[in-house]
Amino acid sequence: MLVEGIKSRPVYGGFAIDPFARRHIFALEGEGALALLDQKPALTATMLNRSEVLYVAAGPKGLDHDLALAALKPDRFWQGPTIETLLFRLRGSLSAATMSTRLYISGREGFIGQCMQVATDMGMDFSSIPTEHRGSLARRVQCVHCKGITDDVRTSPFKCSHCGLNLLVRDHYSRRLGAFQGVNVDAEEPGTAPQAEELFA
Amino acid sequence: MSGGLAIAVRVSRIDTVAANIKRFRLVRHDGEPLPVFSAGAHVIVTMDDDGHRRRNPYSLMSAPHDTSGYDISVLRVAESRGGSAFLHEKLREGDALTISHPVNLFHADKRGRKHILLAGGIGITPFLAMMAEFDRANVAFELHYAMRSREHGAYWQELVERYGAHRVKLYFSAENDVLPVASLLHNQPLGTHAYVCGPDRMTDFVLRTARECGWPKSNVHSERFLAPISGKAFDAELLRSGIVVRVGDHESILEAVEAAGIDAPYMCRGGACGQCETAVVACNGVLAHHDVYLSEEEKASGRKVMICVSRFDGTKLSLDL
Ligand SMILES: Cc1cc2nc3c(=O)[nH]c(=O)nc-3n(C[C@H](O)[C@H](O)[C@H](O)COP(=O)(O)OP(=O)(O)OC[C@H]3O[C@@H](n4cnc5c(N)ncnc54)[C@H](O)[C@@H]3O)c2cc1C
Ligand code: FES
């Protein structure tokens, strides 16, 4: 069950390498690696010499693309164990970046949202950042009641991992949090929540 | 009403601030405060030039929080069709004018960390208001101001005094100074925004250089002081009104339509806001699009025209107006 027709849902336009950028930073998660690998014709030696690739594999289910990425021989290739470490590294790279730096983000929605948050925090305009959704459709959801965030939500409704309420996943997306909104469905009569449906596999 | 609600004002003071540039202070006729505006905004000034109505946009240069009056600065254009000539040569202190409510198509991006302002000549006007706002909010900015000469440039001395030489850089072409656009745009930290307002050639050059320096479009802003371009006279058929108007060689379609007593929508009268967009029903000839609003594809399709600045050359033009 999903609340549809809400306009705040982000749009992921896909990658297009900016030929004028002096520096390219790629933040990639899991299948997001393919968004870069698929750019093959645009991946010239000059372009790769100006590129920094930050990669994190996407959990046990995700395929590993680290070897393929490293084989591109970008100026810098960095692989981290978790999204948090990648975000920390991204923040570091952006703090030294100039206006000629283009950031590209690809992976699951929650990952894109979190990188976007770091980038806008560093002063980047979200419309200048190409994004491409790859991998599972699982969502990162914030419970509007306890404010706790649950990653990798595949069904709606689902049980909030913090307060245990049954939450309906809305299409309402907060750019600031990089998360969708989850609202309790059985507030009047606990236990009457509709059957959970797998919507974001 | 098109152009928004009008405000009756009186010219409380006129100063000559440089060769060919005068400043006009406008206060409300009824003595009430004027609306607060956001820096970068302009108003449409309606003038009554011996029964001939003239309307031109002018940027507000006074501090946006000062509601006691608005200041505009006007360059006397050599081949004026009348607007700037009227303001310079005929208007006197105490005279009445009508202005529209402020419209802003040249906002400062509030999320910016640092703002680089590139002004050419009279293009300084919107930046005067912006700098007052940045200074008040303690936001980092730099002004790079290109002028023909010390005599032709307005306000540069006061600006250096007020904001300091570290924030205000001057370039006089008479002294062979060149505004170093590319080196300025290189190595700016993330979150910097650049703004340009000046002659078309300067604006084009800055936009192109920013692109080549790898700047994203979202961080580069421009405003052009477009005026209706003169050309050959032509007829325009207004289908909804059921009349044909003659557009004179020194007139815009919008002006001709207004002279015929038809109230067409407008906001900037400078080809930038999109308000005057009109559907073209029939066109036997060539549309000369002078606006910066329509996309190249829309211009090529020939189905829309911005009547405040664009013209037509051909045998028949029918508009949905
Ligand atoms: C948003 C906006 C803000 C403005 N702010 C200011 C301001 O603060 N101060 C100021 O002085 N002016 C400003 N202008 C310009 C102003 O509105 C008038 O265009 C200007 O004062 C000239 O008016 P005019 O009636 O004297 O001459 P016009 O006859 O309207 O124009 C002068 C002559 O120059 C020609 N011409 C004009 N532009 C071009 C061009 N791009 N290419 C070729 N020929 C051209 C015209 O064909 C005409 O013959 C602004 C314009 C816009 C759109
Ligand atoms: S009135 Fe703004 S584009 Fe014509």
Short mmCIF file of all heavy atoms in Angstrom, two decimals, chain A residues 18-22 94 97-102 120-128, chain B residues 109 111 113 185-193 211-219:
data_model
loop_
_atom_site.label_atom_id
_atom_site.label_comp_id
_atom_site.label_asym_id
_atom_site.label_seq_id
_atom_site.Cartn_x
_atom_site.Cartn_y
_atom_site.Cartn_z
N ASP A 18 30.15 15.60 -17.90
CA ASP A 18 30.30 17.00 -18.33
C ASP A 18 31.71 17.18 -18.90
O ASP A 18 32.69 17.12 -18.16
CB ASP A 18 30.08 17.94 -17.14
CG ASP A 18 30.14 19.40 -17.54
OD1 ASP A 18 30.69 19.71 -18.63
OD2 ASP A 18 29.64 20.24 -16.78
N PRO A 19 31.83 17.42 -20.21
CA PRO A 19 33.16 17.48 -20.81
C PRO A 19 33.98 18.68 -20.33
O PRO A 19 35.19 18.68 -20.46
CB PRO A 19 32.87 17.61 -22.32
CG PRO A 19 31.49 18.16 -22.41
CD PRO A 19 30.75 17.66 -21.20
N PHE A 20 33.33 19.68 -19.74
CA PHE A 20 34.06 20.87 -19.32
C PHE A 20 34.56 20.79 -17.87
O PHE A 20 35.38 21.60 -17.46
CB PHE A 20 33.19 22.11 -19.47
CG PHE A 20 32.88 22.45 -20.90
CD1 PHE A 20 31.61 22.27 -21.40
CD2 PHE A 20 33.88 22.92 -21.73
CE1 PHE A 20 31.32 22.58 -22.72
CE2 PHE A 20 33.61 23.23 -23.06
CZ PHE A 20 32.32 23.06 -23.55
N ALA A 21 34.06 19.82 -17.11
CA ALA A 21 34.45 19.76 -15.70
C ALA A 21 35.94 19.45 -15.59
O ALA A 21 36.49 18.67 -16.36
CB ALA A 21 33.62 18.71 -14.98
N ARG A 22 36.59 20.09 -14.60
CA ARG A 22 38.03 19.86 -14.41
C ARG A 22 38.28 18.67 -13.49
O ARG A 22 39.39 18.16 -13.39
CB ARG A 22 38.69 21.09 -13.81
CG ARG A 22 38.49 22.36 -14.60
CD ARG A 22 39.34 22.33 -15.85
NE ARG A 22 38.81 23.25 -16.86
CZ ARG A 22 39.39 24.38 -17.23
NH1 ARG A 22 40.53 24.71 -16.69
NH2 ARG A 22 38.85 25.16 -18.13
N LEU A 94 35.03 16.85 -1.11
CA LEU A 94 34.30 18.06 -1.51
C LEU A 94 34.82 19.31 -0.81
O LEU A 94 34.74 20.41 -1.34
CB LEU A 94 32.80 17.90 -1.26
CG LEU A 94 32.07 16.89 -2.15
CD1 LEU A 94 30.59 16.85 -1.80
CD2 LEU A 94 32.27 17.21 -3.62
N ALA A 97 37.15 20.84 -3.00
CA ALA A 97 36.74 20.94 -4.41
C ALA A 97 36.42 22.38 -4.82
O ALA A 97 36.18 23.25 -3.99
CB ALA A 97 35.51 20.07 -4.64
N THR A 98 36.46 22.61 -6.13
CA THR A 98 36.13 23.93 -6.66
C THR A 98 34.86 23.83 -7.50
O THR A 98 34.31 22.75 -7.69
CB THR A 98 37.24 24.47 -7.57
OG1 THR A 98 37.25 23.70 -8.78
CG2 THR A 98 38.60 24.38 -6.90
N MET A 99 34.43 24.98 -8.04
CA MET A 99 33.23 25.02 -8.86
C MET A 99 33.37 24.23 -10.15
O MET A 99 32.38 23.97 -10.82
CB MET A 99 32.87 26.48 -9.19
CG MET A 99 32.31 27.26 -8.02
SD MET A 99 30.88 26.47 -7.27
CE MET A 99 29.70 26.59 -8.61
N SER A 100 34.58 23.85 -10.51
CA SER A 100 34.77 23.07 -11.73
C SER A 100 34.64 21.58 -11.45
O SER A 100 34.91 20.77 -12.32
CB SER A 100 36.14 23.35 -12.32
OG SER A 100 36.38 24.72 -12.34
N THR A 101 34.28 21.22 -10.25
CA THR A 101 34.13 19.81 -9.88
C THR A 101 32.68 19.37 -10.08
O THR A 101 31.76 20.06 -9.65
CB THR A 101 34.49 19.62 -8.39
OG1 THR A 101 35.82 20.06 -8.20
CG2 THR A 101 34.37 18.16 -7.99
N ARG A 102 32.50 18.26 -10.76
CA ARG A 102 31.15 17.73 -10.90
C ARG A 102 31.06 16.45 -10.07
O ARG A 102 31.97 15.62 -10.11
CB ARG A 102 30.86 17.43 -12.39
CG ARG A 102 29.39 17.39 -12.80
CD ARG A 102 28.64 18.73 -12.68
NE ARG A 102 29.19 19.75 -13.53
CZ ARG A 102 29.96 20.75 -13.10
NH1 ARG A 102 30.21 20.90 -11.82
NH2 ARG A 102 30.45 21.62 -13.93
N THR A 120 24.92 18.99 -0.74
CA THR A 120 24.23 20.27 -0.60
C THR A 120 24.72 20.99 0.66
O THR A 120 24.82 22.20 0.69
CB THR A 120 22.69 20.11 -0.57
OG1 THR A 120 22.34 19.09 0.35
CG2 THR A 120 22.17 19.72 -1.93
N ASP A 121 25.10 20.19 1.66
CA ASP A 121 25.69 20.74 2.86
C ASP A 121 27.01 21.45 2.56
O ASP A 121 27.37 22.42 3.23
CB ASP A 121 26.00 19.55 3.77
CG ASP A 121 25.67 19.85 5.17
OD1 ASP A 121 24.60 20.42 5.39
OD2 ASP A 121 26.49 19.49 6.05
N MET A 122 27.72 20.98 1.55
CA MET A 122 28.99 21.59 1.17
C MET A 122 28.76 22.74 0.19
O MET A 122 29.71 23.27 -0.37
CB MET A 122 29.92 20.56 0.52
CG MET A 122 30.25 19.35 1.39
SD MET A 122 31.05 19.77 2.95
CE MET A 122 32.60 20.42 2.34
N GLY A 123 27.49 23.08 -0.06
CA GLY A 123 27.18 24.24 -0.89
C GLY A 123 26.83 23.92 -2.32
O GLY A 123 26.60 24.81 -3.12
N MET A 124 26.80 22.63 -2.70
CA MET A 124 26.46 22.30 -4.09
C MET A 124 24.96 22.43 -4.30
O MET A 124 24.17 22.18 -3.41
CB MET A 124 26.90 20.87 -4.44
CG MET A 124 28.40 20.68 -4.42
SD MET A 124 28.88 19.01 -4.99
CE MET A 124 29.31 19.36 -6.69
N ASP A 125 24.58 22.79 -5.53
CA ASP A 125 23.17 22.90 -5.87
C ASP A 125 22.71 21.53 -6.36
O ASP A 125 23.34 20.93 -7.22
CB ASP A 125 23.02 23.93 -6.99
CG ASP A 125 21.57 24.29 -7.22
OD1 ASP A 125 20.79 23.41 -7.64
OD2 ASP A 125 21.22 25.45 -6.96
N PHE A 126 21.60 21.04 -5.81
CA PHE A 126 21.21 19.66 -6.15
C PHE A 126 20.98 19.48 -7.64
O PHE A 126 21.21 18.42 -8.20
CB PHE A 126 19.99 19.19 -5.33
CG PHE A 126 18.70 19.84 -5.73
CD1 PHE A 126 17.91 19.29 -6.73
CD2 PHE A 126 18.27 21.00 -5.11
CE1 PHE A 126 16.73 19.89 -7.12
CE2 PHE A 126 17.09 21.61 -5.49
CZ PHE A 126 16.32 21.06 -6.50
N SER A 127 20.56 20.57 -8.33
CA SER A 127 20.28 20.42 -9.76
C SER A 127 21.56 20.29 -10.59
O SER A 127 21.51 19.95 -11.76
CB SER A 127 19.44 21.59 -10.26
OG SER A 127 20.22 22.77 -10.21
N SER A 128 22.71 20.53 -9.97
CA SER A 128 23.97 20.39 -10.72
C SER A 128 24.58 19.01 -10.54
O SER A 128 25.66 18.73 -11.03
CB SER A 128 24.97 21.46 -10.25
OG SER A 128 25.44 21.15 -8.95
N ASP B 109 21.01 33.88 -5.04
CA ASP B 109 20.70 32.57 -4.48
C ASP B 109 21.06 32.57 -3.00
O ASP B 109 22.22 32.64 -2.63
CB ASP B 109 21.46 31.47 -5.23
CG ASP B 109 20.90 30.10 -4.92
OD1 ASP B 109 20.66 29.81 -3.73
OD2 ASP B 109 20.69 29.32 -5.86
N ARG B 111 21.18 30.33 -0.84
CA ARG B 111 21.98 29.24 -0.29
C ARG B 111 23.47 29.40 -0.59
O ARG B 111 24.29 28.64 -0.11
CB ARG B 111 21.48 27.91 -0.87
CG ARG B 111 20.04 27.58 -0.47
CD ARG B 111 19.48 26.55 -1.42
NE ARG B 111 19.59 27.01 -2.81
CZ ARG B 111 19.24 26.30 -3.86
NH1 ARG B 111 18.79 25.09 -3.72
NH2 ARG B 111 19.36 26.80 -5.08
N ARG B 113 27.35 30.42 -0.77
CA ARG B 113 28.34 30.71 0.27
C ARG B 113 29.09 31.98 -0.06
O ARG B 113 29.62 32.66 0.81
CB ARG B 113 29.38 29.58 0.31
CG ARG B 113 28.79 28.22 0.52
CD ARG B 113 28.99 27.83 1.95
NE ARG B 113 28.13 26.73 2.30
CZ ARG B 113 28.58 25.50 2.50
NH1 ARG B 113 29.85 25.23 2.37
NH2 ARG B 113 27.75 24.55 2.85
N LEU B 185 36.99 32.92 -12.37
CA LEU B 185 36.06 31.80 -12.16
C LEU B 185 36.79 30.50 -11.79
O LEU B 185 36.19 29.59 -11.25
CB LEU B 185 35.19 31.59 -13.39
CG LEU B 185 34.25 32.76 -13.72
CD1 LEU B 185 33.42 32.45 -14.96
CD2 LEU B 185 33.33 33.08 -12.55
N HIS B 186 38.08 30.47 -12.09
CA HIS B 186 38.84 29.28 -11.74
C HIS B 186 39.03 29.20 -10.23
O HIS B 186 39.20 30.22 -9.57
CB HIS B 186 40.20 29.29 -12.42
CG HIS B 186 40.16 28.65 -13.76
ND1 HIS B 186 39.67 27.37 -13.94
CD2 HIS B 186 40.50 29.11 -14.97
CE1 HIS B 186 39.73 27.09 -15.23
NE2 HIS B 186 40.21 28.12 -15.89
N ASN B 187 39.05 27.98 -9.72
CA ASN B 187 39.39 27.74 -8.32
C ASN B 187 38.50 28.42 -7.30
O ASN B 187 38.94 28.76 -6.22
CB ASN B 187 40.86 28.15 -8.06
CG ASN B 187 41.79 27.32 -8.89
OD1 ASN B 187 41.55 26.12 -9.09
ND2 ASN B 187 42.83 27.92 -9.41
N GLN B 188 37.25 28.64 -7.67
CA GLN B 188 36.32 29.15 -6.67
C GLN B 188 35.76 27.97 -5.88
O GLN B 188 35.50 26.92 -6.45
CB GLN B 188 35.18 29.91 -7.34
CG GLN B 188 35.61 31.24 -7.94
CD GLN B 188 36.06 32.25 -6.89
OE1 GLN B 188 35.77 32.11 -5.70
NE2 GLN B 188 36.79 33.25 -7.32
N PRO B 189 35.59 28.16 -4.57
CA PRO B 189 35.10 27.03 -3.76
C PRO B 189 33.66 26.65 -4.11
O PRO B 189 32.91 27.47 -4.65
CB PRO B 189 35.17 27.56 -2.33
CG PRO B 189 35.17 29.04 -2.46
CD PRO B 189 35.84 29.35 -3.77
N LEU B 190 33.28 25.43 -3.81
CA LEU B 190 31.90 24.98 -4.03
C LEU B 190 30.95 25.94 -3.31
O LEU B 190 31.28 26.47 -2.26
CB LEU B 190 31.69 23.58 -3.43
CG LEU B 190 32.30 22.40 -4.17
CD1 LEU B 190 31.91 21.11 -3.47
CD2 LEU B 190 31.88 22.38 -5.63
N GLY B 191 29.78 26.11 -3.91
CA GLY B 191 28.80 26.99 -3.26
C GLY B 191 28.95 28.44 -3.68
O GLY B 191 28.29 29.32 -3.14
N THR B 192 29.85 28.71 -4.67
CA THR B 192 29.98 30.08 -5.18
C THR B 192 28.94 30.30 -6.27
O THR B 192 28.64 29.39 -7.05
CB THR B 192 31.39 30.30 -5.76
OG1 THR B 192 32.35 29.87 -4.81
CG2 THR B 192 31.62 31.77 -6.09
N HIS B 193 28.38 31.49 -6.31
CA HIS B 193 27.46 31.85 -7.39
C HIS B 193 28.04 33.05 -8.14
O HIS B 193 28.63 33.93 -7.52
CB HIS B 193 26.07 32.20 -6.84
CG HIS B 193 25.30 30.99 -6.43
ND1 HIS B 193 24.32 30.43 -7.21
CD2 HIS B 193 25.41 30.20 -5.34
CE1 HIS B 193 23.84 29.36 -6.61
NE2 HIS B 193 24.48 29.19 -5.46
N ARG B 211 30.93 28.23 -18.46
CA ARG B 211 30.68 26.88 -18.98
C ARG B 211 32.01 26.18 -19.22
O ARG B 211 32.24 25.05 -18.81
CB ARG B 211 29.87 27.03 -20.28
CG ARG B 211 29.51 25.77 -20.98
CD ARG B 211 28.23 25.19 -20.40
NE ARG B 211 28.10 23.79 -20.79
CZ ARG B 211 28.48 22.79 -20.00
NH1 ARG B 211 28.96 23.01 -18.81
NH2 ARG B 211 28.34 21.55 -20.41
N GLU B 212 32.93 26.90 -19.90
CA GLU B 212 34.22 26.29 -20.24
C GLU B 212 35.08 26.04 -19.00
O GLU B 212 35.95 25.18 -19.02
CB GLU B 212 34.98 27.18 -21.24
CG GLU B 212 34.38 27.07 -22.62
CD GLU B 212 34.85 28.19 -23.57
OE1 GLU B 212 35.71 29.00 -23.18
OE2 GLU B 212 34.32 28.22 -24.70
N CYS B 213 34.84 26.79 -17.95
CA CYS B 213 35.57 26.56 -16.70
C CYS B 213 34.94 25.42 -15.91
O CYS B 213 35.37 25.14 -14.79
CB CYS B 213 35.59 27.81 -15.84
SG CYS B 213 36.59 29.12 -16.50
N GLY B 214 33.89 24.82 -16.43
CA GLY B 214 33.28 23.69 -15.76
C GLY B 214 32.24 24.06 -14.71
O GLY B 214 31.85 23.22 -13.90
N TRP B 215 31.78 25.30 -14.72
CA TRP B 215 30.74 25.69 -13.75
C TRP B 215 29.40 25.10 -14.15
O TRP B 215 29.05 25.09 -15.34
CB TRP B 215 30.59 27.21 -13.72
CG TRP B 215 31.58 27.91 -12.87
CD1 TRP B 215 32.94 27.83 -12.95
CD2 TRP B 215 31.28 28.83 -11.82
NE1 TRP B 215 33.50 28.65 -12.00
CE2 TRP B 215 32.52 29.28 -11.31
CE3 TRP B 215 30.10 29.33 -11.27
CZ2 TRP B 215 32.60 30.19 -10.25
CZ3 TRP B 215 30.19 30.24 -10.22
CH2 TRP B 215 31.42 30.66 -9.72
N PRO B 216 28.62 24.62 -13.17
CA PRO B 216 27.26 24.18 -13.50
C PRO B 216 26.36 25.39 -13.77
O PRO B 216 26.55 26.44 -13.15
CB PRO B 216 26.81 23.43 -12.26
CG PRO B 216 27.66 23.96 -11.15
CD PRO B 216 28.95 24.43 -11.75
N LYS B 217 25.40 25.20 -14.66
CA LYS B 217 24.46 26.29 -15.02
C LYS B 217 23.75 26.89 -13.82
O LYS B 217 23.49 28.08 -13.76
CB LYS B 217 23.37 25.71 -15.94
CG LYS B 217 23.65 25.85 -17.40
CD LYS B 217 22.32 25.74 -18.15
CE LYS B 217 22.56 25.70 -19.64
NZ LYS B 217 22.00 24.50 -20.27
N SER B 218 23.42 26.01 -12.86
CA SER B 218 22.62 26.46 -11.72
C SER B 218 23.30 27.58 -10.92
O SER B 218 22.64 28.27 -10.15
CB SER B 218 22.35 25.28 -10.79
OG SER B 218 23.57 24.65 -10.46
N ASN B 219 24.61 27.74 -11.07
CA ASN B 219 25.32 28.72 -10.25
C ASN B 219 25.71 29.99 -11.01
O ASN B 219 26.45 30.81 -10.51
CB ASN B 219 26.56 28.09 -9.64
CG ASN B 219 26.22 27.05 -8.59
OD1 ASN B 219 25.45 26.13 -8.87
ND2 ASN B 219 26.73 27.20 -7.40
#
